[in-house]
Amino acid sequence: MRVEILGTRAHIDASAPGHALHSGILIDDVLFDLGEREYLDRRPTAIFITHFHEDHAFFVNEKVDLDVPLYGPQPWPGLPVRVMRGPVDIDGMTVSPVPTNHSTGMRSCAYLVEKDLGRVLYTGDLFSFPERYRDRIPDVDLAIIEGSFMRRGGLVRRDPVTGRSHGHAGIPDLVDLLAPLSRRIVVTHLGSWFYKDINASVRQIEQLSGDVRVTVAEDGMTLEVAVDREI
């Protein structure tokens, strides 16, 4: 599989060269998240949305006509979203939803992408996986995680009315969670903290490397997925 990370910027005002575009991951010809209208110029054969926040789905605030299959964790007004309830086979790959905890107002999911013997996990935004799904995630060759917050614990709040939590895990938490499953982790969806001193932020993230290699994505970065686990 060929992975191209189209955009690395979270839902923030800050921007910088190499970190200016919102979420989008192209795996071969299949697109995961549609944070910018221009990603449609790549003519994806299908689009999978992790959740319907505008930095992952620009059409939340803009009209769009889509002539490709659109998948997501829930319906969306005015668009023929195919709700993910199990694995989908497309273009020689299998895409499986993994429910995540992120927002109180809408559903969200990560995506496990399998092709030939390779596996990629794209988490989208989250503060945790529901416990009943955590042990079902297999070893992967590449995990792509969010970088909204560097501090351990991230930012998770509890709704005073419903008691439900919402927010983002910290990068160290996600590395700890996924390091047993993957030897390679790439961080995208970078929060405002990252832009205060980009070089220092990159070093801080990469210092989390140990048995797993942790790197920072840039807009337009391409990766070739090689099987890096026991078969």
Side-chain angles (χ1 to χ4, degrees):
M1 285 182 285
R2 180 179 185 273
V3 177
E4 184 174 357
I5 300 179
L6 303 180
T8 57
R9 177 183 166 206
H11 191 196
I12 55 173
D13 293 330
S15 181
H19 303 287
L21 300 176
H22 292 117
S23 296
I25 309 286
L26 195 65
I27 302 181
D28 290 345
D29 293 320
V30 177
L31 183 62
F32 295 83
D33 281 341
L34 183 57
E36 304 283 350
R37 182 182 288 272
E38 67 186 65
Y39 298 163
L40 294 174
D41 295 340
R42 305 300 293 269
R43 299 188 179 279
T45 56
I47 300 170
F48 292 81
I49 303 295
T50 58
H51 62 292
F52 292 101
H53 284 166
E54 61 184 324
D55 55 326
H56 296 260
F58 81 88
F59 52 79
V60 167
N61 292 323
E62 300 180 38
K63 293 186 68 174
V64 65
D65 293 321
L66 294 177
D67 58 358
V68 299
L70 176 65
Y71 298 86
Q74 67 183 72
W76 191 256
L79 288 174
V81 178
R82 306 180 188 190
V83 177
M84 293 292 290
R85 305 192 188 281
V88 171
D89 292 323
I90 191 162
D91 278 10
M93 65 176 66
T94 300
V95 180
S96 302
V98 182
T100 56
N101 295 318
H102 170 50
S103 171
T104 58
M106 59 184 62
R107 299 173 189 167
S108 60
C109 66
Y111 287 110
L112 174 67
V113 184
E114 301 173 272
K115 184 176 182 180
D116 298 327
L117 297 177
R119 294 186 189 136
V120 175
L121 178 70
Y122 171 45
T123 70
D125 298 354
L126 77 166
F127 65 84
S128 70
F129 292 101
E131 189 172 349
R132 65 184 179 277
Y133 295 103
R134 205 172 299 159
D135 295 336
R136 301 183 192 179
I137 304 172
D139 291 351
V140 298
D141 305 295
L142 171 66
I144 304 172
I145 66 173
E146 66 149 311
S148 297
F149 294 95
M150 184 64 205
R151 63 177 178 266
R152 188 170 289 280
L155 180 62
V156 181
R157 295 191 172 108
R158 186 178 296 275
D159 187 293
V161 177
T162 66
R164 295 182 61 190
S165 296
H166 59 96
H168 303 261
I171 299 172
D173 306 299
L174 292 172
V175 170
D176 288 350
L177 178 65
L178 294 172
L181 304 179
S182 179
R183 296 178 184 174
R184 190 179 189 188
I185 295 176
V186 173
V187 182
T188 185
H189 194 271
L190 300 159
S192 56
W193 69 274
F194 177 85
Y195 292 80
K196 295 174 182 177
D197 186 334
I198 290 178
N199 290 332
S201 297
V202 169
R203 290 194 297 271
Q204 190 177 9
I205 292 173
E206 293 183 346
Q207 283 171 359
L208 296 173
S209 296
D211 292 336
V212 58
R213 179 187 174 198
V214 183
T215 56
V216 179
E218 295 183 355
D219 297 357
M221 174 186 280
T222 59
L223 305 162
E224 294 291 337
V225 176
V227 178
D228 189 24
R229 54 190 163 78
E230 293 184 4
I231 303 298

